[in-house]
Amino acid sequence: MIVGCVGIGVGAGARIAIGEAFVLCRGPICVSPAWVRPHQVEDEVRRFEAAVGIASQQLQAIRDEIPPDTPGEISEFIDSHLLMIEDRALSSGVASLIRQRLASAEWALQQHCDALVEVFEQMQDAYLRTRRDDLIHVVQRILKVLTARHDSEPDDLQGQIVLAEDLSPADVILLHNRQVAGFVTEHGGPMSHTAILARSLGIPAVIGAHGAGACLKHGELLVLDTDNGCVLPNCDPALISHFQDRREYDFQRTALLRQESHRPATTRDGLHVRLLANIELAGDVAEAVRNGADGIGLYRTEFLFMNRNDLPDEEEHFAAYREVIEGMPERAIVIRTLDLGADKPLAGTRDGESGSNPALGLRAIRLCLKEPELFKPQLRAILRASALGDVSIMLPMLTNLWEVEQTHKLIRHCMHELDIEGTPYNRNIPVGGMIEVPAAALATPLFARALDFLSIGTNDLIQYTLAIDRVDNEVNYLYDPLHPAILQLIARVIEAGRQAGIPVSMCGEMAGDPRFIPLLIGMGLHELSMQPAALLDARQLIRELDAGELVERTRDFFEHIDTADPLSLLSHWQ
């Protein structure tokens, strides 16, 4: 009998991995209290400092292995850890504990780390609180040197599936360079740095697989399926053969679909559906272009703000936007202003505190309007970028019309400054908004009159409407895109956009899910923005559909939604 584990699948291109399990880490190093004699103190300090030097060299070596064509944002993950490990405040604190308390280097480091973690957890700035994970990763690296534990950095991992409790950014890059087939972690979420790096580097992964360490063994053959977020051990030859066929089929199918990527996503009866890409890094543009994206429907700009202790200036913003525009010339690019808070907090603001419930606190447009000195450089940079291409501004997490009015006021102020400077920009740059809060969905007619376009962010819309945290394993089974309340809100937004005569798109995960695409088209959505890897399947599916037939089926779907399983109603549409 197969006893596997389930987590969150992360795949971009490759979705099946088969290989031997390699248990990379059996858990954090636990240090017991230990002391040295007075005459051993200085030797212990030198032993600690030598370990810091070795750990720093290890990180630098990993950074040096990053290919030069890798997006700069990826190396910045390592840079942030290098800065932390070389921070004298870390070393001097440990050395003081060794000298004052005669503690061993390991025990002094652990005590100092515990004290710093406590300080991080008490910080009001939400982003700085999350730096505790970086600190723990750095301290664990030093401890591994001090304890001579080498099991985390094997030289040969080619073709293996790595199992770990958690992985740092450096670990993920190292695994990529070691040509792993995939990896499994017990911790982490879909928006964690680990998941994002896996997608960016094209590593199949299952993250947040609680209990994986208990049911998977070192050396056994594993099958990793990112479509279903599962890891299967001890598969019989027939099942292994099945997954090998799936992997080969995926490879060949992707190659064939990519040959068709230049063809428009037009239904059999002539309805063109614009397929746009969601990107996070400038490096994602290449895959979006390769998979035939009509443009960028959602450029998340949060990475400009993460893994650093200061704020990006206007020139950094502008350089990033220019790189995306140059990578996708003559196509529309929607730049979302920063959406930080909750699981994506922010450094460097005067008041980054999101309160006891950060998902409902100071985040996204709320934070931007409270911190105009944070918002203005981004708006100025987007305006400057608008002189280089077809650029739009999209505002996240709108709740009140007042937020739109205040943003327009700030944009006009930036335009006035650019006029005085003689800096070119598109005076008619479109400004749109994300509808991802139930209040905004219900009040969409008001927003539609004040904005140039709307985009439905289904991830948050579902979360807020159904009052469930989608990364909470205890309740994420309630996350249901086909809940009648969600479908009614989506229909309301589409209708409001139609009446106002402005485009409405969808940029949440629902937009790229082949199970829902026919229904969304039947409801009247003609612009879908998704992960670049999903574009190929979406295009093929749309080209096989009949839009007129979908409208009829959608009408029938809503008539029977209260008497049947909605997903089963959709199962025969394709």
Side-chain angles (χ1 to χ4, degrees):
M1 183 178 72
I2 295 175
V3 179
C5 58
V6 177
I8 301 167
V10 178
R15 297 180 292 191
I16 300 290
I18 302 173
E20 285 188 359
F22 187 99
V23 180
L24 180 63
C25 179
R26 297 183 185 278
I29 297 174
C30 297
V31 179
S32 300
W35 290 268
V36 296
R37 296 179 183 281
H39 71 276
Q40 296 173 318
V41 163
E42 291 309 317
D43 284 343
E44 196 69 359
V45 171
R46 282 191 286 273
R47 188 168 75 88
F48 167 70
E49 291 175 343
V52 170
I54 293 171
S56 178
Q57 291 170 9
Q58 291 173 346
L59 277 177
Q60 188 60 56
I62 293 170
R63 195 190 190 291
D64 292 343
E65 288 185 33
I66 298 175
D69 57 348
T70 302
E73 296 91 336
I74 290 177
S75 59
E76 288 172 6
F77 285 109
I78 305 300
D79 289 339
S80 66
H81 281 206
L82 274 169
L83 285 173
M84 188 172 285
I85 207 169
E86 293 169 355
D87 189 341
R88 289 301 302 168
L90 176 66
S91 297
S92 61
V94 176
S96 294
L97 287 174
I98 295 173
R99 292 188 174 107
Q100 293 171 8
R101 302 183 185 179
L102 304 183
S104 70
E106 293 89 340
W107 182 232
L109 177 58
Q110 186 62 63
Q111 285 184 294
H112 191 55
C113 176
D114 292 343
L116 290 175
V117 165
E118 187 173 346
V119 172
F120 275 111
E121 290 178 341
Q122 292 176 353
M123 286 182 174
Q124 292 188 343
D125 185 296
Y127 174 70
L128 289 179
R129 283 203 303 273
T130 68
R131 299 303 301 274
R132 64 180 290 279
D133 294 337
D134 293 315
L135 172 69
I136 292 171
H137 286 148
V138 165
V139 167
Q140 283 290 309
R141 179 168 291 279
I142 300 171
L143 283 174
K144 284 170 186 170
V145 176
L146 285 169
T147 59
R149 180 165 143 177
H150 301 296
D151 58 349
S152 64
E153 297 178 5
D155 293 329
D156 185 10
L157 288 169
Q158 184 173 1
Q160 299 189 70
I161 294 177
V162 168
L163 168 64
E165 280 202 11
D166 194 9
L167 291 171
S168 69
D171 292 327
V172 176
I173 293 171
L174 189 68
L175 297 183
H176 177 65
N177 293 341
R178 299 291 186 269
Q179 298 180 303
V180 295
F183 68 79
V184 184
T185 65
E186 297 203 42
H187 304 296
M191 292 306 296
S192 67
H193 293 171
T194 301
I196 291 166
L197 274 173
R199 277 194 291 267
S200 298
L201 296 171
I203 307 175
V206 171
I207 59 175
H210 304 293
C215 66
L216 305 178
K217 298 176 182 175
H218 183 88
E220 66 183 350
L221 189 64
L222 300 181
V223 172
L224 188 156
D225 177 358
T226 65
D227 279 347
N228 297 298
C230 64
V231 187
L232 304 175
N234 302 319
C235 296
D236 59 37
L239 198 53
I240 290 289
S241 178
H242 163 75
F243 281 107
Q244 286 173 332
D245 289 345
R246 267 190 61 187
R247 185 174 58 181
E248 181 61 21
Y249 172 78
D250 283 348
F251 177 77
Q252 294 185 2
R253 184 170 180 273
T254 298
L256 288 172
L257 291 178
R258 193 159 280 154
Q259 292 177 7
E260 302 288 318
S261 63
H262 65 284
R263 304 183 70 177
T266 304
T267 61
R268 289 187 279 114
D269 54 343
L271 173 70
H272 177 61
V273 179
R274 289 187 78 212
L275 290 185
L276 308 166
N278 298 340
I279 65 169
E280 289 156 345
L281 306 172
D284 296 336
V285 171
E287 187 181 8
V289 171
R290 193 163 55 246
N291 291 347
D294 293 320
I296 303 298
L298 172 61
Y299 175 20
R300 301 183 177 98
T301 57
E302 287 75 65
F303 277 86
L304 289 165
F305 297 83
M306 298 174 75
N307 288 299
R308 57 191 299 166
N309 294 321
D310 57 355
L311 294 172
D313 60 23
E314 180 181 323
E315 291 307 315
E316 287 180 79
H317 280 288
F318 180 68
Y321 307 153
R322 181 174 59 192
E323 187 175 355
V324 171
I325 295 167
E326 290 174 346
M328 188 169 269
E330 300 180 359
R331 279 181 251 186
I333 296 170
V334 178
I335 301 176
R336 184 178 72 183
T337 58
L338 72 95
D339 181 9
L340 289 167
D343 60 344
K344 298 168 286 181
L346 169 69
T349 56
R350 290 196 310 266
D351 186 0
E353 175 59 53
S354 293
S356 58
N357 193 339
L360 303 179
L362 186 65
R363 52 170 295 197
I365 193 66
R366 303 171 182 178
L367 175 63
C368 289
L369 292 175
K370 186 172 183 179
E371 302 276 356
E373 70 275 22
L374 166 76
F375 201 15
K376 270 188 61 181
Q378 182 170 38
L379 290 177
R380 280 178 53 96
I382 297 175
L383 287 169
R384 289 170 57 194
S386 70
L388 306 177
D390 183 1
V391 170
S392 302
I393 299 173
M394 185 156 72
L395 311 176
M397 205 184 174
L398 291 171
T399 308
N400 293 290
L401 201 58
W402 171 86
E403 294 161 339
V404 177
E405 295 167 350
Q406 290 299 305
T407 303
H408 275 304
K409 184 178 179 181
L410 202 54
I411 290 173
R412 288 195 295 272
H413 177 76
C414 293
M415 287 180 169
H416 178 66
E417 289 182 345
L418 294 173
D419 285 337
I420 294 174
E421 298 166 10
T423 303
Y425 66 91
N426 175 15
R427 187 173 297 279
N428 299 313
I429 184 171
V431 178
M434 288 189 71
I435 303 299
E436 50 189 340
V437 174
L442 292 169
T444 305
L446 300 177
F447 287 98
R449 287 198 288 272
L451 293 164
D452 298 309
F453 64 93
L454 302 173
S455 183
I456 305 171
T458 52
N459 300 348
D460 276 341
L461 182 63
I462 296 169
Q463 175 169 270
Y464 289 131
T465 303
L466 303 184
I468 58 106
D469 184 346
R470 61 195 171 106
V471 297
D472 185 336
N473 290 331
E474 298 297 326
V475 295
N476 59 14
Y477 69 95
L478 294 169
Y479 188 85
D480 180 13
L482 297 180
H483 190 289
I486 302 300
L487 296 178
Q488 289 180 36
L489 291 176
I490 292 173
R492 188 179 182 89
V493 177
I494 295 171
E495 176 60 19
R498 189 190 65 78
Q499 290 193 8
I502 63 172
V504 177
S505 65
M506 178 178 285
C507 60
E509 291 178 13
M510 192 175 176
D513 193 324
R515 296 174 301 173
F516 308 134
I517 287 175
L519 175 65
L520 297 173
I521 294 174
M523 293 175 69
L525 269 179
H526 303 156
E527 288 190 7
L528 302 171
S529 192
M530 60 196 72
Q531 294 296 324
L535 290 166
L536 297 175
D537 286 331
R539 176 178 294 99
Q540 189 204 35
L541 170 62
I542 290 169
R543 292 179 62 82
E544 295 172 351
L545 298 173
D546 183 294
E549 184 179 305
L550 292 178
V551 172
E552 295 298 324
R553 287 189 169 192
T554 298
R555 188 177 298 117
D556 183 69
F557 173 85
F558 277 97
E559 288 177 355
H560 295 87
I561 193 172
D562 57 343
T563 59
D565 174 17
L567 196 56
S568 67
L569 289 174
L570 298 179
S571 61
H572 302 295
W573 283 33
Q574 298 177 26

PDB file of all heavy atoms in Angstrom, residues 43-65:
ATOM      1  N   ASP A  43      40.254  30.790  22.784  1.00  0.00           N
ATOM      2  CA  ASP A  43      40.246  29.773  21.725  1.00  0.00           C
ATOM      3  C   ASP A  43      38.811  29.521  21.236  1.00  0.00           C
ATOM      4  O   ASP A  43      38.570  29.286  20.046  1.00  0.00           O
ATOM      5  CB  ASP A  43      40.845  28.453  22.246  1.00  0.00           C
ATOM      6  CG  ASP A  43      42.364  28.508  22.357  1.00  0.00           C
ATOM      7  OD1 ASP A  43      42.948  29.422  21.734  1.00  0.00           O
ATOM      8  OD2 ASP A  43      42.929  27.663  23.063  1.00  0.00           O
ATOM      9  N   GLU A  44      37.857  29.572  22.181  1.00  0.00           N
ATOM     10  CA  GLU A  44      36.464  29.341  21.800  1.00  0.00           C
ATOM     11  C   GLU A  44      35.938  30.486  20.933  1.00  0.00           C
ATOM     12  O   GLU A  44      35.185  30.259  19.971  1.00  0.00           O
ATOM     13  CB  GLU A  44      35.604  29.195  23.070  1.00  0.00           C
ATOM     14  CG  GLU A  44      34.240  28.592  22.829  1.00  0.00           C
ATOM     15  CD  GLU A  44      34.293  27.116  22.432  1.00  0.00           C
ATOM     16  OE1 GLU A  44      35.393  26.555  22.325  1.00  0.00           O
ATOM     17  OE2 GLU A  44      33.213  26.540  22.198  1.00  0.00           O
ATOM     18  N   VAL A  45      36.345  31.717  21.287  1.00  0.00           N
ATOM     19  CA  VAL A  45      35.942  32.865  20.460  1.00  0.00           C
ATOM     20  C   VAL A  45      36.514  32.717  19.054  1.00  0.00           C
ATOM     21  O   VAL A  45      35.818  32.946  18.052  1.00  0.00           O
ATOM     22  CB  VAL A  45      36.414  34.184  21.102  1.00  0.00           C
ATOM     23  CG1 VAL A  45      36.183  35.350  20.130  1.00  0.00           C
ATOM     24  CG2 VAL A  45      35.670  34.437  22.411  1.00  0.00           C
ATOM     25  N   ARG A  46      37.788  32.333  18.997  1.00  0.00           N
ATOM     26  CA  ARG A  46      38.400  32.157  17.668  1.00  0.00           C
ATOM     27  C   ARG A  46      37.728  31.015  16.899  1.00  0.00           C
ATOM     28  O   ARG A  46      37.568  31.092  15.686  1.00  0.00           O
ATOM     29  CB  ARG A  46      39.908  31.891  17.827  1.00  0.00           C
ATOM     30  CG  ARG A  46      40.725  33.141  18.124  1.00  0.00           C
ATOM     31  CD  ARG A  46      42.219  32.869  18.011  1.00  0.00           C
ATOM     32  NE  ARG A  46      42.704  32.098  19.150  1.00  0.00           N
ATOM     33  CZ  ARG A  46      43.110  32.645  20.299  1.00  0.00           C
ATOM     34  NH1 ARG A  46      43.090  33.960  20.454  1.00  0.00           N
ATOM     35  NH2 ARG A  46      43.546  31.888  21.291  1.00  0.00           N
ATOM     36  N   ARG A  47      37.327  29.969  17.590  1.00  0.00           N
ATOM     37  CA  ARG A  47      36.620  28.864  16.910  1.00  0.00           C
ATOM     38  C   ARG A  47      35.290  29.355  16.323  1.00  0.00           C
ATOM     39  O   ARG A  47      34.925  29.012  15.196  1.00  0.00           O
ATOM     40  CB  ARG A  47      36.359  27.719  17.908  1.00  0.00           C
ATOM     41  CG  ARG A  47      35.810  26.450  17.261  1.00  0.00           C
ATOM     42  CD  ARG A  47      35.841  25.280  18.224  1.00  0.00           C
ATOM     43  NE  ARG A  47      34.813  25.344  19.239  1.00  0.00           N
ATOM     44  CZ  ARG A  47      33.580  24.836  19.082  1.00  0.00           C
ATOM     45  NH1 ARG A  47      33.261  24.231  17.947  1.00  0.00           N
ATOM     46  NH2 ARG A  47      32.696  24.928  20.048  1.00  0.00           N
ATOM     47  N   PHE A  48      34.605  30.192  17.121  1.00  0.00           N
ATOM     48  CA  PHE A  48      33.345  30.744  16.622  1.00  0.00           C
ATOM     49  C   PHE A  48      33.582  31.644  15.411  1.00  0.00           C
ATOM     50  O   PHE A  48      32.891  31.537  14.386  1.00  0.00           O
ATOM     51  CB  PHE A  48      32.641  31.541  17.729  1.00  0.00           C
ATOM     52  CG  PHE A  48      31.508  32.386  17.220  1.00  0.00           C
ATOM     53  CD1 PHE A  48      30.323  31.796  16.759  1.00  0.00           C
ATOM     54  CD2 PHE A  48      31.637  33.765  17.143  1.00  0.00           C
ATOM     55  CE1 PHE A  48      29.289  32.575  16.269  1.00  0.00           C
ATOM     56  CE2 PHE A  48      30.606  34.545  16.649  1.00  0.00           C
ATOM     57  CZ  PHE A  48      29.435  33.953  16.205  1.00  0.00           C
ATOM     58  N   GLU A  49      34.555  32.525  15.511  1.00  0.00           N
ATOM     59  CA  GLU A  49      34.819  33.450  14.404  1.00  0.00           C
ATOM     60  C   GLU A  49      35.250  32.696  13.142  1.00  0.00           C
ATOM     61  O   GLU A  49      34.902  33.089  12.031  1.00  0.00           O
ATOM     62  CB  GLU A  49      35.881  34.470  14.823  1.00  0.00           C
ATOM     63  CG  GLU A  49      35.365  35.449  15.880  1.00  0.00           C
ATOM     64  CD  GLU A  49      36.444  36.381  16.393  1.00  0.00           C
ATOM     65  OE1 GLU A  49      37.643  36.081  16.196  1.00  0.00           O
ATOM     66  OE2 GLU A  49      36.085  37.405  16.998  1.00  0.00           O
ATOM     67  N   ALA A  50      35.992  31.627  13.340  1.00  0.00           N
ATOM     68  CA  ALA A  50      36.378  30.820  12.174  1.00  0.00           C
ATOM     69  C   ALA A  50      35.152  30.179  11.529  1.00  0.00           C
ATOM     70  O   ALA A  50      35.046  30.097  10.296  1.00  0.00           O
ATOM     71  CB  ALA A  50      37.380  29.740  12.606  1.00  0.00           C
ATOM     72  N   ALA A  51      34.212  29.735  12.372  1.00  0.00           N
ATOM     73  CA  ALA A  51      32.983  29.129  11.835  1.00  0.00           C
ATOM     74  C   ALA A  51      32.174  30.161  11.050  1.00  0.00           C
ATOM     75  O   ALA A  51      31.604  29.850   9.997  1.00  0.00           O
ATOM     76  CB  ALA A  51      32.150  28.555  12.972  1.00  0.00           C
ATOM     77  N   VAL A  52      32.137  31.393  11.560  1.00  0.00           N
ATOM     78  CA  VAL A  52      31.426  32.455  10.835  1.00  0.00           C
ATOM     79  C   VAL A  52      32.088  32.684   9.477  1.00  0.00           C
ATOM     80  O   VAL A  52      31.411  32.826   8.452  1.00  0.00           O
ATOM     81  CB  VAL A  52      31.423  33.758  11.659  1.00  0.00           C
ATOM     82  CG1 VAL A  52      30.900  34.927  10.823  1.00  0.00           C
ATOM     83  CG2 VAL A  52      30.573  33.588  12.916  1.00  0.00           C
ATOM     84  N   GLY A  53      33.402  32.692   9.479  1.00  0.00           N
ATOM     85  CA  GLY A  53      34.116  32.896   8.215  1.00  0.00           C
ATOM     86  C   GLY A  53      33.830  31.783   7.221  1.00  0.00           C
ATOM     87  O   GLY A  53      33.601  32.045   6.029  1.00  0.00           O
ATOM     88  N   ILE A  54      33.826  30.545   7.696  1.00  0.00           N
ATOM     89  CA  ILE A  54      33.549  29.412   6.798  1.00  0.00           C
ATOM     90  C   ILE A  54      32.118  29.479   6.269  1.00  0.00           C
ATOM     91  O   ILE A  54      31.856  29.254   5.080  1.00  0.00           O
ATOM     92  CB  ILE A  54      33.798  28.079   7.540  1.00  0.00           C
ATOM     93  CG1 ILE A  54      35.283  27.921   7.842  1.00  0.00           C
ATOM     94  CG2 ILE A  54      33.291  26.896   6.720  1.00  0.00           C
ATOM     95  CD1 ILE A  54      35.604  26.760   8.749  1.00  0.00           C
ATOM     96  N   ALA A  55      31.170  29.791   7.177  1.00  0.00           N
ATOM     97  CA  ALA A  55      29.768  29.890   6.744  1.00  0.00           C
ATOM     98  C   ALA A  55      29.597  30.989   5.705  1.00  0.00           C
ATOM     99  O   ALA A  55      28.863  30.832   4.726  1.00  0.00           O
ATOM    100  CB  ALA A  55      28.871  30.161   7.956  1.00  0.00           C
ATOM    101  N   SER A  56      30.297  32.101   5.912  1.00  0.00           N
ATOM    102  CA  SER A  56      30.232  33.196   4.938  1.00  0.00           C
ATOM    103  C   SER A  56      30.808  32.763   3.599  1.00  0.00           C
ATOM    104  O   SER A  56      30.256  33.066   2.529  1.00  0.00           O
ATOM    105  CB  SER A  56      30.995  34.410   5.486  1.00  0.00           C
ATOM    106  OG  SER A  56      30.978  35.460   4.539  1.00  0.00           O
ATOM    107  N   GLN A  57      31.919  32.036   3.647  1.00  0.00           N
ATOM    108  CA  GLN A  57      32.527  31.536   2.402  1.00  0.00           C
ATOM    109  C   GLN A  57      31.579  30.580   1.678  1.00  0.00           C
ATOM    110  O   GLN A  57      31.497  30.576   0.446  1.00  0.00           O
ATOM    111  CB  GLN A  57      33.848  30.842   2.714  1.00  0.00           C
ATOM    112  CG  GLN A  57      34.963  31.773   3.177  1.00  0.00           C
ATOM    113  CD  GLN A  57      36.179  31.025   3.699  1.00  0.00           C
ATOM    114  OE1 GLN A  57      36.266  29.795   3.567  1.00  0.00           O
ATOM    115  NE2 GLN A  57      37.102  31.736   4.307  1.00  0.00           N
ATOM    116  N   GLN A  58      30.864  29.769   2.467  1.00  0.00           N
ATOM    117  CA  GLN A  58      29.910  28.832   1.844  1.00  0.00           C
ATOM    118  C   GLN A  58      28.811  29.600   1.102  1.00  0.00           C
ATOM    119  O   GLN A  58      28.451  29.249  -0.029  1.00  0.00           O
ATOM    120  CB  GLN A  58      29.282  27.936   2.913  1.00  0.00           C
ATOM    121  CG  GLN A  58      30.241  26.941   3.537  1.00  0.00           C
ATOM    122  CD  GLN A  58      29.621  26.195   4.702  1.00  0.00           C
ATOM    123  OE1 GLN A  58      28.564  26.587   5.211  1.00  0.00           O
ATOM    124  NE2 GLN A  58      30.280  25.132   5.150  1.00  0.00           N
ATOM    125  N   LEU A  59      28.303  30.627   1.753  1.00  0.00           N
ATOM    126  CA  LEU A  59      27.261  31.425   1.096  1.00  0.00           C
ATOM    127  C   LEU A  59      27.790  32.119  -0.150  1.00  0.00           C
ATOM    128  O   LEU A  59      27.130  32.182  -1.183  1.00  0.00           O
ATOM    129  CB  LEU A  59      26.703  32.470   2.071  1.00  0.00           C
ATOM    130  CG  LEU A  59      25.615  32.010   3.035  1.00  0.00           C
ATOM    131  CD1 LEU A  59      25.240  33.142   3.976  1.00  0.00           C
ATOM    132  CD2 LEU A  59      24.379  31.539   2.279  1.00  0.00           C
ATOM    133  N   GLN A  60      29.012  32.671  -0.029  1.00  0.00           N
ATOM    134  CA  GLN A  60      29.598  33.356  -1.181  1.00  0.00           C
ATOM    135  C   GLN A  60      29.799  32.372  -2.334  1.00  0.00           C
ATOM    136  O   GLN A  60      29.597  32.712  -3.510  1.00  0.00           O
ATOM    137  CB  GLN A  60      30.930  33.993  -0.792  1.00  0.00           C
ATOM    138  CG  GLN A  60      31.533  34.883  -1.871  1.00  0.00           C
ATOM    139  CD  GLN A  60      30.640  36.046  -2.250  1.00  0.00           C
ATOM    140  OE1 GLN A  60      30.239  36.835  -1.397  1.00  0.00           O
ATOM    141  NE2 GLN A  60      30.284  36.150  -3.545  1.00  0.00           N
ATOM    142  N   ALA A  61      30.202  31.139  -1.994  1.00  0.00           N
ATOM    143  CA  ALA A  61      30.397  30.127  -3.042  1.00  0.00           C
ATOM    144  C   ALA A  61      29.087  29.811  -3.744  1.00  0.00           C
ATOM    145  O   ALA A  61      29.048  29.627  -4.974  1.00  0.00           O
ATOM    146  CB  ALA A  61      30.996  28.858  -2.427  1.00  0.00           C
ATOM    147  N   ILE A  62      28.004  29.734  -2.956  1.00  0.00           N
ATOM    148  CA  ILE A  62      26.686  29.494  -3.561  1.00  0.00           C
ATOM    149  C   ILE A  62      26.319  30.648  -4.468  1.00  0.00           C
ATOM    150  O   ILE A  62      25.815  30.463  -5.583  1.00  0.00           O
ATOM    151  CB  ILE A  62      25.629  29.302  -2.456  1.00  0.00           C
ATOM    152  CG1 ILE A  62      25.900  28.013  -1.681  1.00  0.00           C
ATOM    153  CG2 ILE A  62      24.221  29.303  -3.052  1.00  0.00           C
ATOM    154  CD1 ILE A  62      25.061  27.868  -0.434  1.00  0.00           C
ATOM    155  N   ARG A  63      26.593  31.864  -4.003  1.00  0.00           N
ATOM    156  CA  ARG A  63      26.261  33.030  -4.830  1.00  0.00           C
ATOM    157  C   ARG A  63      27.067  33.016  -6.139  1.00  0.00           C
ATOM    158  O   ARG A  63      26.567  33.363  -7.202  1.00  0.00           O
ATOM    159  CB  ARG A  63      26.549  34.320  -4.065  1.00  0.00           C
ATOM    160  CG  ARG A  63      25.907  35.546  -4.703  1.00  0.00           C
ATOM    161  CD  ARG A  63      26.391  36.826  -4.088  1.00  0.00           C
ATOM    162  NE  ARG A  63      25.610  37.954  -4.539  1.00  0.00           N
ATOM    163  CZ  ARG A  63      25.623  38.433  -5.769  1.00  0.00           C
ATOM    164  NH1 ARG A  63      26.383  37.859  -6.694  1.00  0.00           N
ATOM    165  NH2 ARG A  63      24.881  39.471  -6.111  1.00  0.00           N
ATOM    166  N   ASP A  64      28.319  32.600  -6.032  1.00  0.00           N
ATOM    167  CA  ASP A  64      29.174  32.575  -7.225  1.00  0.00           C
ATOM    168  C   ASP A  64      28.699  31.547  -8.241  1.00  0.00           C
ATOM    169  O   ASP A  64      29.036  31.640  -9.427  1.00  0.00           O
ATOM    170  CB  ASP A  64      30.624  32.277  -6.825  1.00  0.00           C
ATOM    171  CG  ASP A  64      31.251  33.412  -6.033  1.00  0.00           C
ATOM    172  OD1 ASP A  64      30.690  34.535  -6.071  1.00  0.00           O
ATOM    173  OD2 ASP A  64      32.274  33.175  -5.361  1.00  0.00           O
ATOM    174  N   GLU A  65      27.937  30.551  -7.770  1.00  0.00           N
ATOM    175  CA  GLU A  65      27.455  29.514  -8.685  1.00  0.00           C
ATOM    176  C   GLU A  65      26.204  29.931  -9.439  1.00  0.00           C
ATOM    177  O   GLU A  65      25.768  29.232 -10.352  1.00  0.00           O
ATOM    178  CB  GLU A  65      27.147  28.228  -7.900  1.00  0.00           C
ATOM    179  CG  GLU A  65      28.380  27.494  -7.408  1.00  0.00           C
ATOM    180  CD  GLU A  65      28.017  26.175  -6.744  1.00  0.00           C
ATOM    181  OE1 GLU A  65      27.032  25.553  -7.171  1.00  0.00           O
ATOM    182  OE2 GLU A  65      28.700  25.779  -5.787  1.00  0.00           O
TER     183      GLU A  65
END
